[in-house]
Amino acid sequence: MVRSGLMAHNKSLKKSNGELGPSYVTFSGLVEDLRNESIIMLQVSEDDYSEFAERALESGIEKGMLERENLDSIFTNSKLRSSKMYTAFVNYYILRLTAVLELYFKDSIKQLLKLNIDLLVKGINGAENSELVEKLDKNYDPKTYLGYLNRIATYYSCGKKFSGKYKKYSKFLEIEVSNTAILEKLDNLFSLRNDIAHLNRFSDDEINAGNRPELVTENGFKYSRETLLSREDFHEVIKTLINLTSETAKFLKDVEMEINSKWAPRYESPKYHYTRLLKKLDQ
């Protein structure tokens, strides 16, 4: 137990000297995954999809899953087939990236609250969370303690857009790192994500009145949820997504380094951390 505590303490000290937090480590792992998966997908051609479709068709008919007289266009139209498959990966990339980013700031604050008592006190004493002070249980309970952390982290990371989440997050943490261009691109990506995710929308929806979210590449190609993709278009869209992901990673790393310099972490058990919180609030 002592050795385990020392290892955790040493790890905390390393973080105070610049080690990146778990939220960023998770995100950087995602960046690497998406990059590697994209490298593989960029090698897949229309002919490859035709070969896959033929094999799937033969197997499907043999197993009674498909009828040759009643086939979907994905089996009969090569251009539509490859477009759908390219689109599937693009949408997967967008959905996976935004899913991790959506809770990034909440997870980051939650981890910081565990490591810095002053930040936890600030969160508890926030005007919107003032009632927490009165409701704090004097006895440590892991589930209740985690509930407090989640409540504070959720409040200080909420926002209608990604930029709104970051604005509240950075204000709470008192950091001044900003990148308007990246935040605007991510706001747009989240709008596109929402459109992709809600396929039950009909074509006469308000969003379709010339205002559908689009991802615009460096060469001016526009991708939306109904765009047909050639292999060349696919390459261009993936290149844009990879570049945006890399830019986002750099921005979040700069944020992480600023946080480390502002809120030095200190390892202590959750129970002791909670005890110190109660003492500080009583002062």
Side-chain angles (χ1 to χ4, degrees), residues 23-40:
S23 296
Y24 183 82
V25 171
T26 297
F27 181 74
S28 61
L30 172 69
V31 172
E32 187 68 15
D33 284 348
L34 290 174
R35 178 179 176 276
N36 291 336
E37 291 163 7
S38 296
I39 289 173
I40 294 174

Side-chain angles (χ1 to χ4, degrees), residues 64-80:
M65 299 168 63
L66 296 171
E67 297 178 0
R68 193 174 293 276
E69 298 77 18
N70 187 29
L71 294 175
D72 185 85
S73 56
I74 196 171
F75 292 103
T76 61
N77 186 321
S78 61
K79 288 188 178 297
L80 182 62

Side-chain angles (χ1 to χ4, degrees), residues 170-231:
S170 58
K171 183 178 181 180
F172 174 60
L173 296 176
E174 302 174 24
I175 56 174
E176 298 181 358
V177 179
S178 185
N179 189 320
T180 303
I182 290 297
L183 292 173
E184 288 179 350
K185 289 179 181 179
L186 291 173
D187 279 346
N188 180 68
L189 191 69
F190 270 86
S191 294
L192 178 55
R193 186 282 300 268
N194 292 339
D195 196 38
I196 291 170
H198 298 106
L199 292 177
N200 55 317
R201 288 178 176 164
F202 295 102
S203 59
D204 60 349
D205 277 356
E206 193 174 298
I207 199 169
N208 288 294
N211 195 35
R212 180 175 292 284
E214 298 173 323
L215 177 69
V216 182
T217 69
E218 293 179 2
N219 293 328
F221 179 78
K222 297 178 180 180
Y223 175 80
S224 68
R225 88 173 195 202
E226 294 181 349
T227 303
L228 293 176
L229 292 176
S230 66
R231 188 181 185 188

Side-chain angles (χ1 to χ4, degrees), residues 79-250:
K79 288 188 178 297
L80 182 62
R81 173 172 54 246
S82 58
S83 176
K84 282 189 173 184
M85 300 308 294
Y86 289 138
T87 296
F89 183 76
V90 170
N91 290 350
Y92 154 79
Y93 190 121
I94 293 172
L95 291 170
R96 192 172 179 207
L97 175 61
T98 53
V100 173
L101 285 174
E102 189 164 29
L103 295 178
Y104 182 92
F105 297 137
K106 177 186 175 182
D107 292 341
S108 174
I109 289 177
K110 185 176 175 181
Q111 293 301 322
L112 290 166
L113 293 174
K114 295 177 182 178
L115 295 172
N116 191 290
I117 193 67
D118 293 327
L119 188 63
L120 180 55
V121 171
K122 178 181 179 180
I124 288 284
N125 281 328
E128 290 74 13
N129 292 293
S130 57
E131 70 274 15
L132 284 180
V133 177
E134 300 175 4
K135 296 180 180 179
L136 282 178
D137 195 323
K138 298 303 180 182
N139 298 312
Y140 171 75
D141 175 73
K143 186 175 181 179
T144 303
Y145 171 65
L146 187 60
Y148 294 147
L149 299 183
N150 280 324
R151 184 170 176 179
I152 297 169
T154 297
Y155 177 77
Y156 287 108
S157 63
C158 64
K160 192 170 184 180
K161 295 183 177 181
F162 187 80
S163 58
K165 294 177 187 290
Y166 180 69
K167 182 177 181 180
K168 202 161 189 178
Y169 169 85
S170 58
K171 183 178 181 180
F172 174 60
L173 296 176
E174 302 174 24
I175 56 174
E176 298 181 358
V177 179
S178 185
N179 189 320
T180 303
I182 290 297
L183 292 173
E184 288 179 350
K185 289 179 181 179
L186 291 173
D187 279 346
N188 180 68
L189 191 69
F190 270 86
S191 294
L192 178 55
R193 186 282 300 268
N194 292 339
D195 196 38
I196 291 170
H198 298 106
L199 292 177
N200 55 317
R201 288 178 176 164
F202 295 102
S203 59
D204 60 349
D205 277 356
E206 193 174 298
I207 199 169
N208 288 294
N211 195 35
R212 180 175 292 284
E214 298 173 323
L215 177 69
V216 182
T217 69
E218 293 179 2
N219 293 328
F221 179 78
K222 297 178 180 180
Y223 175 80
S224 68
R225 88 173 195 202
E226 294 181 349
T227 303
L228 293 176
L229 292 176
S230 66
R231 188 181 185 188
E232 292 72 23
D233 297 333
F234 173 69
H235 280 223
E236 196 170 330
V237 171
I238 289 300
K239 178 183 176 183
T240 299
L241 285 172
I242 290 175
N243 288 341
L244 175 57
T245 306
S246 297
E247 291 170 358
T248 301
K250 183 181 183 306

